Amino acid sequence: MAAGALHRSIRTIQLHGGSNDSASTKEFGNSSLKFISKGFAVDVKFLSNRSRSFSHCKMHVIRAISSHASVVDPILSTSHVTTDFNQNTSIESSLILIRHGESMWNEKNLFTGSVDVPLTKRGIEEAIEAGERISSIPVNMIYTSALIRAQMTAMLAMTQHRQKKIPIIMHDESVQAKEWSQIFSEETIQQSIPVITAWQLNERMYGKLQGLNKEETVVKYGKEKVHEWRRSFDSPPPNGESLEMCSQRAVAYFKENIEPQLQNGRNIMVAAHGNSLRSIIMYLEKLTSQEVTNLELSTGVPLLYIYKHGEFLKRGSPVGPTEHGVYAYTRNLALYRQKLDEMVQ
């Protein structure tokens, strides 16, 4: 529901050379913003630290105008509004994928699927450690599943981030929910990160296996059948989803909602589940159905991808002696970390 409202609200903003062709165009040096649709306003900030504010702001869009253009800290306020764009191959953005920390049913070796189970103490520690590992990587928006274990992981991870911004879940499930969750301080909005929840990122639904002990299920149905349900691409458990079915919804959501944000320069974190993340990784790395079934994701281990020149480049590994070794920083990420270091000094 949140995603639908977000993309029904899409408006188009175009950059122009200094033009005075209408009252809806506001000049910023040699560049200007022309509003294509009426009824909303934006707060635009350039990397030169020059800014202009328009009253009754509904959205904050930050655009770079240098040769290494990237979007920094876009904050959505009272509604989910984004921009339409022409793909800019010079943009570099970061994508962090995190499988949630250990859940209480992981601990008990139960099939969890779509059941909404919280983290264990170990899962909380894994989420915090994940946050430490990504603390110097920019995050402008967060997407999570609708399940508490993924949301807890995202929130706990961000407590460790060096930019010290507050993740806030966007609520647009009703008119009242939107109205009651409004923020009326521009300063507070600037220090916030929007968190968008989507059921499409949920773990695959395990049907009649949910809540069953995995070892007991093997005894009941046989090792080969349970292995087929768990590790095949297109064989669903009774009344449940196959990995293929999970992939269809997760990848469709990623392509429609998350990828455009990356293409527009926003740095994204996705906290989700083993099968929904495997599905997305299958798309990012162009894996075959056989390759993705052999892909294992550890709980609470963040993976980093760089979007650049229209491609996703894997820069993260679950192992590595140092943060730099794990994530193989790009030049832009190194500069971002340097600025964080300078702020502390």
Side-chain angles (χ1 to χ4, degrees), residues 157-292:
M158 290 309 296
T159 64
Q160 305 303 303
H161 203 282
R162 296 176 64 190
Q163 65 182 355
K164 302 300 182 183
K165 294 195 173 184
I166 309 300
I168 298 179
I169 294 178
M170 301 288 101
H171 288 284
D172 64 355
E173 55 267 26
S174 68
V175 173
Q176 186 180 66
K178 291 175 65 175
E179 291 179 349
W180 285 22
S181 61
Q182 289 185 52
I183 301 171
F184 295 95
S185 165
E186 287 301 311
E187 181 179 356
T188 301
I189 290 172
Q190 293 287 354
Q191 294 302 315
S192 304
I193 297 177
V195 181
I196 299 171
T197 62
W199 71 267
Q200 293 91 334
L201 298 175
N202 283 9
E203 179 59 285
R204 71 172 169 132
M205 204 273 281
Y206 267 101
K208 291 187 175 181
L209 300 187
Q210 291 183 169
L212 299 184
N213 181 278
K214 293 176 182 178
E215 292 181 1
E216 293 174 359
T217 305
V218 169
V219 173
K220 181 177 180 178
Y221 292 101
K223 183 177 180 179
E224 290 186 5
K225 177 55 70 174
V226 173
H227 181 78
E228 178 185 342
W229 289 334
R230 295 189 67 189
R231 286 294 176 260
S232 68
F233 185 67
D234 55 4
S235 296
N239 294 347
E241 286 184 305
S242 64
L243 176 56
E244 181 180 29
M245 296 163 69
C246 176
S247 177
Q248 288 172 351
R249 60 172 165 84
V251 173
Y253 183 85
F254 181 90
K255 292 168 70 174
E256 181 179 348
N257 297 274
I258 300 175
E259 189 168 3
Q261 302 288 355
L262 293 163
Q263 291 171 335
N264 212 24
R266 293 174 178 85
N267 302 293
I268 306 295
M269 182 171 78
V270 178
H273 308 266
N275 284 294
S276 54
L277 290 178
R278 284 201 294 164
S279 301
I280 291 172
I281 291 171
M282 181 183 182
Y283 169 69
L284 299 180
E285 299 186 20
K286 300 178 174 62
L287 302 180
T288 66
S289 58
Q290 180 60 46
E291 289 172 330
V292 75

Side-chain angles (χ1 to χ4, degrees), residues 72-192:
V72 183
D73 291 340
I75 306 298
L76 307 186
S77 57
T78 58
S79 62
H80 297 227
V81 185
T82 187
T83 59
D84 195 5
F85 56 88
N86 293 322
Q87 183 171 320
N88 186 341
T89 56
S90 68
I91 286 177
E92 175 184 307
S93 51
S94 303
L95 170 65
I96 301 168
L97 304 180
I98 306 180
R99 182 187 174 193
H100 64 80
E102 181 189 66
S103 75
M104 289 185 171
W105 277 15
N106 289 144
E107 183 181 47
K108 292 182 177 296
N109 200 31
L110 304 181
F111 284 101
T112 310
S114 295
V115 181
D116 209 358
V117 179
L119 300 180
T120 61
K121 179 180 178 180
R122 176 182 173 184
I124 291 171
E125 293 171 350
E126 288 177 337
I128 292 173
E129 182 178 351
E132 292 172 351
R133 297 181 68 177
I134 63 168
S135 62
S136 296
I137 299 174
V139 177
N140 304 134
M141 297 180 67
I142 299 171
Y143 288 83
T144 79
S145 76
L147 302 176
I148 190 65
R149 56 191 184 272
Q151 295 175 21
M152 288 178 69
T153 299
M155 296 300 196
L156 289 167
M158 290 309 296
T159 64
Q160 305 303 303
H161 203 282
R162 296 176 64 190
Q163 65 182 355
K164 302 300 182 183
K165 294 195 173 184
I166 309 300
I168 298 179
I169 294 178
M170 301 288 101
H171 288 284
D172 64 355
E173 55 267 26
S174 68
V175 173
Q176 186 180 66
K178 291 175 65 175
E179 291 179 349
W180 285 22
S181 61
Q182 289 185 52
I183 301 171
F184 295 95
S185 165
E186 287 301 311
E187 181 179 356
T188 301
I189 290 172
Q190 293 287 354
Q191 294 302 315
S192 304

Side-chain angles (χ1 to χ4, degrees), residues 289-334:
S289 58
Q290 180 60 46
E291 289 172 330
V292 75
T293 57
N294 295 324
L295 179 63
E296 294 288 346
L297 299 178
S298 300
T299 55
V301 176
L303 299 175
L304 174 65
Y305 292 82
I306 300 297
Y307 176 84
K308 193 171 185 179
H309 303 305
E311 298 288 339
F312 289 96
L313 308 175
K314 185 176 181 180
R315 302 302 292 262
S317 168
V319 295
T322 66
E323 181 182 288
H324 288 70
V326 171
Y327 293 115
Y329 276 11
T330 63
R331 181 174 181 274
N332 283 2
L333 289 182

